[in-house]
mmCIF file of all heavy atoms in Angstrom:
data_model
loop_
_atom_site.group_PDB
_atom_site.id
_atom_site.type_symbol
_atom_site.label_atom_id
_atom_site.label_comp_id
_atom_site.label_asym_id
_atom_site.label_seq_id
_atom_site.Cartn_x
_atom_site.Cartn_y
_atom_site.Cartn_z
ATOM 1 N N GLY A 337 -7.277 -10.574 8.774
ATOM 2 C CA GLY A 337 -8.104 -11.005 7.607
ATOM 3 C C GLY A 337 -8.502 -12.415 7.556
ATOM 4 O O GLY A 337 -9.254 -12.915 6.762
ATOM 5 N N PHE A 338 -8.042 -13.189 8.645
ATOM 6 C CA PHE A 338 -8.360 -14.659 8.606
ATOM 7 C C PHE A 338 -9.761 -14.965 8.621
ATOM 8 O O PHE A 338 -10.273 -15.797 7.788
ATOM 9 C CB PHE A 338 -7.590 -15.250 9.778
ATOM 10 C CG PHE A 338 -7.677 -16.732 9.833
ATOM 11 C CD1 PHE A 338 -7.200 -17.497 8.725
ATOM 12 C CD2 PHE A 338 -8.134 -17.353 10.973
ATOM 13 C CE1 PHE A 338 -7.275 -18.836 8.849
ATOM 14 C CE2 PHE A 338 -8.265 -18.788 10.928
ATOM 15 C CZ PHE A 338 -7.868 -19.576 9.944
ATOM 16 N N ALA A 339 -10.567 -14.282 9.534
ATOM 17 C CA ALA A 339 -11.945 -14.629 9.645
ATOM 18 C C ALA A 339 -12.688 -14.508 8.244
ATOM 19 O O ALA A 339 -13.500 -15.355 7.881
ATOM 20 C CB ALA A 339 -12.684 -13.784 10.713
ATOM 21 N N CYS A 340 -12.422 -13.434 7.661
ATOM 22 C CA CYS A 340 -13.042 -13.107 6.259
ATOM 23 C C CYS A 340 -12.557 -14.110 5.279
ATOM 24 O O CYS A 340 -13.364 -14.593 4.408
ATOM 25 C CB CYS A 340 -12.670 -11.710 5.863
ATOM 26 S SG CYS A 340 -13.418 -11.083 4.394
ATOM 27 N N HIS A 341 -11.228 -14.453 5.261
ATOM 28 C CA HIS A 341 -10.724 -15.268 4.247
ATOM 29 C C HIS A 341 -10.978 -16.739 4.411
ATOM 30 O O HIS A 341 -10.629 -17.506 3.471
ATOM 31 C CB HIS A 341 -9.152 -15.009 4.021
ATOM 32 C CG HIS A 341 -8.911 -13.676 3.425
ATOM 33 N ND1 HIS A 341 -8.324 -13.735 2.099
ATOM 34 C CD2 HIS A 341 -9.032 -12.473 3.791
ATOM 35 C CE1 HIS A 341 -8.274 -12.477 1.697
ATOM 36 N NE2 HIS A 341 -8.617 -11.760 2.745
ATOM 37 N N THR A 342 -11.572 -17.212 5.549
ATOM 38 C CA THR A 342 -11.791 -18.599 5.739
ATOM 39 C C THR A 342 -12.868 -19.055 4.688
ATOM 40 O O THR A 342 -12.953 -20.336 4.414
ATOM 41 C CB THR A 342 -12.320 -18.889 7.146
ATOM 42 O OG1 THR A 342 -13.424 -18.128 7.534
ATOM 43 C CG2 THR A 342 -11.261 -18.740 8.098
ATOM 44 N N THR A 343 -13.651 -18.188 4.153
ATOM 45 C CA THR A 343 -14.680 -18.601 3.077
ATOM 46 C C THR A 343 -14.093 -19.194 1.862
ATOM 47 O O THR A 343 -14.639 -19.865 1.115
ATOM 48 C CB THR A 343 -15.634 -17.439 2.786
ATOM 49 O OG1 THR A 343 -14.923 -16.420 2.268
ATOM 50 C CG2 THR A 343 -16.451 -17.042 4.043
ATOM 51 N N VAL A 344 -12.772 -18.859 1.641
ATOM 52 C CA VAL A 344 -12.012 -19.355 0.539
ATOM 53 C C VAL A 344 -10.806 -20.224 0.843
ATOM 54 O O VAL A 344 -9.757 -20.242 0.284
ATOM 55 C CB VAL A 344 -11.530 -18.166 -0.378
ATOM 56 C CG1 VAL A 344 -12.754 -17.658 -1.161
ATOM 57 C CG2 VAL A 344 -10.781 -17.080 0.396
ATOM 58 N N GLU A 345 -10.992 -21.014 1.998
ATOM 59 C CA GLU A 345 -9.894 -21.793 2.463
ATOM 60 C C GLU A 345 -9.453 -22.814 1.471
ATOM 61 O O GLU A 345 -8.278 -22.979 1.281
ATOM 62 C CB GLU A 345 -10.442 -22.547 3.731
ATOM 63 C CG GLU A 345 -9.355 -23.511 4.329
ATOM 64 C CD GLU A 345 -9.834 -24.264 5.572
ATOM 65 O OE1 GLU A 345 -11.083 -24.029 5.906
ATOM 66 O OE2 GLU A 345 -9.013 -24.965 6.096
ATOM 67 N N LYS A 346 -10.371 -23.322 0.644
ATOM 68 C CA LYS A 346 -10.012 -24.308 -0.438
ATOM 69 C C LYS A 346 -9.253 -23.616 -1.513
ATOM 70 O O LYS A 346 -8.585 -24.327 -2.372
ATOM 71 C CB LYS A 346 -11.279 -24.932 -1.038
ATOM 72 C CG LYS A 346 -11.951 -25.843 0.054
ATOM 73 C CD LYS A 346 -13.108 -26.573 -0.648
ATOM 74 C CE LYS A 346 -13.873 -27.452 0.288
ATOM 75 N NZ LYS A 346 -13.258 -28.277 1.195
ATOM 76 N N ARG A 347 -9.214 -22.282 -1.598
ATOM 77 C CA ARG A 347 -8.349 -21.467 -2.563
ATOM 78 C C ARG A 347 -7.150 -20.981 -1.864
ATOM 79 O O ARG A 347 -6.692 -19.905 -2.242
ATOM 80 C CB ARG A 347 -9.271 -20.426 -3.231
ATOM 81 C CG ARG A 347 -10.347 -20.872 -4.061
ATOM 82 C CD ARG A 347 -11.112 -19.754 -4.806
ATOM 83 N NE ARG A 347 -10.260 -18.645 -5.217
ATOM 84 C CZ ARG A 347 -9.575 -18.672 -6.417
ATOM 85 N NH1 ARG A 347 -9.569 -19.725 -7.185
ATOM 86 N NH2 ARG A 347 -8.830 -17.621 -6.698
ATOM 87 N N ASP A 348 -6.754 -21.644 -0.829
ATOM 88 C CA ASP A 348 -5.618 -21.171 0.029
ATOM 89 C C ASP A 348 -5.800 -19.694 0.520
ATOM 90 O O ASP A 348 -4.842 -18.936 0.580
ATOM 91 C CB ASP A 348 -4.276 -21.292 -0.773
ATOM 92 C CG ASP A 348 -3.030 -21.162 0.097
ATOM 93 O OD1 ASP A 348 -3.166 -21.464 1.372
ATOM 94 O OD2 ASP A 348 -1.976 -20.749 -0.394
ATOM 95 N N TYR A 349 -7.084 -19.389 0.963
ATOM 96 C CA TYR A 349 -7.401 -18.149 1.617
ATOM 97 C C TYR A 349 -7.261 -16.969 0.664
ATOM 98 O O TYR A 349 -7.200 -15.867 1.155
ATOM 99 C CB TYR A 349 -6.637 -17.982 2.887
ATOM 100 C CG TYR A 349 -6.743 -19.115 3.893
ATOM 101 C CD1 TYR A 349 -5.852 -20.169 3.913
ATOM 102 C CD2 TYR A 349 -7.882 -19.104 4.729
ATOM 103 C CE1 TYR A 349 -5.973 -21.237 4.737
ATOM 104 C CE2 TYR A 349 -8.058 -20.209 5.621
ATOM 105 C CZ TYR A 349 -7.170 -21.226 5.661
ATOM 106 O OH TYR A 349 -7.312 -22.289 6.529
ATOM 107 N N VAL A 350 -7.275 -17.160 -0.695
ATOM 108 C CA VAL A 350 -7.136 -16.102 -1.573
ATOM 109 C C VAL A 350 -8.417 -15.869 -2.393
ATOM 110 O O VAL A 350 -8.876 -16.858 -3.149
ATOM 111 C CB VAL A 350 -5.923 -16.291 -2.473
ATOM 112 C CG1 VAL A 350 -5.815 -15.185 -3.518
ATOM 113 C CG2 VAL A 350 -4.531 -16.289 -1.654
#
Side-chain angles (χ1 to χ4, degrees):
F338 184 57
C340 183
H341 284 252
T342 56
T343 60
V344 286
E345 181 179 2
K346 291 187 186 314
R347 294 183 38 81
D348 195 24
Y349 302 94
V350 175

